[in-house]
């Protein structure tokens, strides 16, 4: 009854931008993960921060759960409406508000996507570097603490978000800080909301760091006899202070899959995909230095490219890896894991994981952002097979436990959602109680994306 009353009130305000269509509900209850879809009872499409605040106030007054929704590319069931309620779709908040080239920052609405922003910035010789692979919304990227292929050089969303506009659970609107590059005024509210996954409020606007487009870029692809050799090459590169912009790893299964899928001819074996940014002379020196390090670890032939079309061709394998691996088993779904460890532990963590995979019955591959210690295992499972999903989950649990033992984290960039809540206390201990206290203070009725990250039942 409470949801029906809220929906009626919201329909009066939003008109056709409030829907209960089965198709829309189904689309908003799923993400790109294997988790069972959980649709909301209604979907609202606000067009401004003020309308988001009005939607939130209505839901708050009626005690109706709310789930902020970007574009649905999350991987831990982050947008599933576990308790029904209203999905707040932010896709109509899609304006780039102001580019301040002199200050190297930009203000955008939460529904702007990464590619959309870069299309606006490119003619001005600027770019936004955080690249999770999918063309996700910037609000969703902030909410999940996203990172991706360029983290080793430019950092994650936590380092690149300067300020946020957030609608709190009772409809109040706050700005977390001003645009200055540093501030020691009070608590760091910006980073409190980055990674909060919509459990503390709805992000509606962001001010982000942007960067000048490098004078030159160079890409390189190189195969290795073992994963350990590839990872040790990256570790040595970082230790020597060589400023690589991307350092991606595909294992032999993934390389074989992309060769078949895209008609490429990379040597089948553990392969590094690297990129360098800087001056023409600088990127040439960086590429040569890494090639020398690779040679010390028995690297094969290095393919390099500096022209944009050639770089894109070399990077094609990495960008198409997920779809290529899925093609190994048509009709399967990808159960994609995500852990991150200190880089000194990365080779050992991947080696132990690959031993587990070799002993399993599943098709699986390892890909990773090895420059920052983050890697993923992609399991191909029949989503209707409890045995296969159970086996993949058990292997995922071993990965998480291994990462935690090595001083790492249960998730480097996918977030907790509801898929990894069980690991949070093992990682943070009594820190989870502090998170619960913050959740209760900002959302005492537990209406903001309930069932995700933490909840009052965990104290």
């Amino acid at each position: 009854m409470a949801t029906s009353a809220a929906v009626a009130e919201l329909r009066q305000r939003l008109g056709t931008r409030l829907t209960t269509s089965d198709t829309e509900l189904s689309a908003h209850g799923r993400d790109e993960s294997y988790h069972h879809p959980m649709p909301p009872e209604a979907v609202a499409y606000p067009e401004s921060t003020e309308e988001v605040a009005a939607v939130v106030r209505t839901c708050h007054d009626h005690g109706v759960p709310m789930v902020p929704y970007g574009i649905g590319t999350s991987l831990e069931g982050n947008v599933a409406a576990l308790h029904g309620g209203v999905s707040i779709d932010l896709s109509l908040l899609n304006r780039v508000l102001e580019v301040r080239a002199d200050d190297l920052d930009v203000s955008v609405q939460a529904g702007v996507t990464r590619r959309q922003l870069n299309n606006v910035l490119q003619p001005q010789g600027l770019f936004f570097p955080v690249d999770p692979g999918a063309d996700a919304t910037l609000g969703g990227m902030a909410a999940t603490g996203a990172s991706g292929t360029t983290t080793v050089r430019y950092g994650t969303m936590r380092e690149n978000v300067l300020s946020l506009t957030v609608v709190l659970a009772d409809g109040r609107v706050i700005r977390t800080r001003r645009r200055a590059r540093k501030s020691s005024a009070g608590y760091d509210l910006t980073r409190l909301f980055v990674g909060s996954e919509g459990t503390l409020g709805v992000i509606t606007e962001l001010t982000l760091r942007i960067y000048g487009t490098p004078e030159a870029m160079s890409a390189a692809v190189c195969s290795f006899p073992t994963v350990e050799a590839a990872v040790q090459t990256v570790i040595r590169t970082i230790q020597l202070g060589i400023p690589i912009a991307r350092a991606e790893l595909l294992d032999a299964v993934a390389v074989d899959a992309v060769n078949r899928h895209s008609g490429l001819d990379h040597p089948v074996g553990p392969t590094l995909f690297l990129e360098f940014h800087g001056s023409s002379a600088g990127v040439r020196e960086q590429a040569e230095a890494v090639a020398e390090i690779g040679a010390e670890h028995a690297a094969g032939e290095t393919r390099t490219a500096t022209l944009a079309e050639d770089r894109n061709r070399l990077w094609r394998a990495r960008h198409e890896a997920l779809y290529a691996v899925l093609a190994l088993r048509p009709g399967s779904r990808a159960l994609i894991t995500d852990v991150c460890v200190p880089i000194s532990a990365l080779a050992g963590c991947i080696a132990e994981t690959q031993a587990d995979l070799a002993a399993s019955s599943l098709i699986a591959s390892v890909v990773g952002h090895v420059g920052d210690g983050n890697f993923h295992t992609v399991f191909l499972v029949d989503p209707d097979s409890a045995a296969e999903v159970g086996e993949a989950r058990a292997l995922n649990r071993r990965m998480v436990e291994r990462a935690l033992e090595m001083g790492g984290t249960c998730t480097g960039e996918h977030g907790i959602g509801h898929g990894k809540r069980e690991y949070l206390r093992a990682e943070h201990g009594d820190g989870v109680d502090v998170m619960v206290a913050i959740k209760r203070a900002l959302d005492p009725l537990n209406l903001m994306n309930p069932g995700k990250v933490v909840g009052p039942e965990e104290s």
Side-chain angles (χ1 to χ4, degrees):
M1 290 296 294
T3 302
S4 298
V7 167
E9 189 173 323
L10 291 172
R11 182 168 281 119
Q12 283 188 337
R13 182 177 184 99
L14 300 177
T16 58
R17 289 186 287 113
L18 189 287
T19 180
T20 55
S21 156
D22 287 343
T23 300
E24 290 288 295
L25 299 184
S26 176
H28 285 76
R30 68 173 69 244
D31 57 13
E32 293 295 326
S33 73
Y34 72 97
H35 297 290
H36 185 68
M38 297 289 286
E41 296 164 89
V43 180
Y45 288 91
E47 293 181 327
S48 65
T49 295
E50 293 72 25
E51 282 198 340
V52 172
V55 171
V56 170
R57 281 194 297 271
T58 297
C59 291
H60 179 270
D61 291 347
H62 290 278
V64 172
M66 297 162 270
V67 182
Y69 184 94
I71 204 169
T73 57
S74 54
L75 290 164
E76 286 296 347
N78 312 68
V79 299
L82 302 181
H83 299 275
V86 175
S87 174
I88 304 176
D89 187 307
L90 299 165
S91 59
L92 299 182
L93 277 76
N94 59 3
R95 291 188 297 124
V96 176
L97 300 172
E98 186 177 4
V99 178
R100 292 172 286 264
D102 289 345
D103 292 326
L104 289 176
D105 69 50
V106 60
S107 293
V108 301
Q109 292 183 308
V112 173
T113 68
R114 174 180 60 85
R115 290 176 187 162
Q116 178 189 347
L117 174 59
N118 277 320
N119 287 339
V120 172
L121 296 177
Q122 184 179 17
Q124 303 181 56
L126 303 166
F127 78 112
F128 179 70
V130 182
D131 179 5
D135 189 23
T137 64
L138 294 162
M141 288 168 61
T144 54
S147 55
T149 61
T150 60
T151 301
V152 64
R153 174 71 177 267
Y154 297 100
T156 71
M157 288 299 285
R158 291 188 187 278
E159 289 75 47
N160 286 286
V161 175
L162 292 173
S163 178
L164 298 169
T165 298
V166 181
V167 178
L168 300 180
D170 58 5
R172 285 179 295 162
V173 179
I174 66 167
R175 183 174 61 181
T176 58
R177 61 174 277 187
R178 295 179 180 269
R179 288 197 298 117
R181 286 302 174 103
K182 66 178 183 178
S183 171
S184 58
Y187 299 139
D188 191 344
L189 297 180
T190 303
R191 283 168 179 77
L192 175 63
F193 286 98
V194 173
S196 63
E197 302 183 37
T199 62
L200 302 179
V202 185
I203 296 170
T204 61
E205 294 180 10
L206 310 88
T207 297
L208 305 168
R209 295 176 185 265
I210 53 179
Y211 298 79
T213 304
E215 172 192 328
M217 298 183 187
S218 174
V221 178
C222 187
S223 63
F224 289 81
T226 64
V227 166
E228 182 178 9
V231 173
Q232 290 300 332
T233 296
V234 175
I235 291 173
R236 186 60 179 156
T237 298
I238 293 172
Q239 290 172 338
L240 290 175
I242 299 171
I244 50 176
R246 302 180 197 251
E248 299 290 299
L249 171 72
L250 268 62
D251 71 356
V253 172
V255 173
D256 181 48
V258 297
N259 281 348
R260 298 185 191 189
H261 183 257
S262 304
L264 301 175
D265 61 351
H266 294 292
V268 176
T271 300
L272 286 180
F273 293 76
L274 306 169
E275 192 166 273
F276 310 93
H277 294 176
S279 67
S280 297
V283 297
R284 183 171 59 251
E285 292 171 359
Q286 293 161 21
E288 290 173 353
V290 175
E292 291 177 5
I293 296 170
E296 296 173 3
H297 292 88
E301 177 189 0
T302 299
R303 304 182 183 186
T304 61
T306 55
L307 295 177
E309 57 268 30
D310 294 334
R311 292 200 317 272
N312 292 339
R313 177 177 50 81
L314 286 182
W315 275 100
R316 184 179 174 186
R318 176 62 183 94
H319 290 315
E320 296 183 354
L322 174 58
Y323 305 105
V325 172
L326 278 168
L328 294 175
R329 187 184 179 189
S332 64
R333 289 291 301 271
L335 192 159
I336 307 174
T337 68
D338 161 48
V339 296
C340 188
V341 296
I343 59 169
S344 61
L346 182 61
C349 193
I350 293 178
E352 292 183 34
T353 298
Q354 289 191 307
D356 279 351
L357 301 184
S360 79
S361 66
L362 301 175
I363 298 174
S365 70
V366 172
V367 298
H369 315 308
V370 290
D372 53 37
N374 187 195
F375 74 96
H376 315 273
T377 297
V378 181
F379 296 101
L380 301 185
V381 299
D382 175 355
D384 297 322
S385 169
E388 289 188 15
V389 173
E391 183 178 2
R393 287 175 63 91
L395 290 167
N396 182 36
R397 176 182 290 277
R398 285 178 58 83
M399 278 182 59
V400 169
E401 292 172 348
R402 184 179 299 124
L404 295 178
E405 289 172 1
M406 293 178 172
T409 175
C410 67
T411 175
E413 59 185 13
H414 291 179
I416 294 295
H418 68 89
K420 284 193 170 177
R421 284 185 68 174
E422 62 182 298
Y423 306 121
L424 200 60
R425 191 168 289 276
E427 181 168 335
H428 290 288
D430 290 343
V432 172
D433 297 329
V434 177
M435 297 180 196
V436 171
I438 293 170
K439 169 72 170 172
R440 280 179 166 163
L442 294 180
D443 182 20
L445 301 181
N446 193 27
L447 298 177
M448 299 302 305
N449 209 3
K452 315 295 173 51
V453 190
V454 297
E457 69 275 11
E458 289 169 281
S459 62

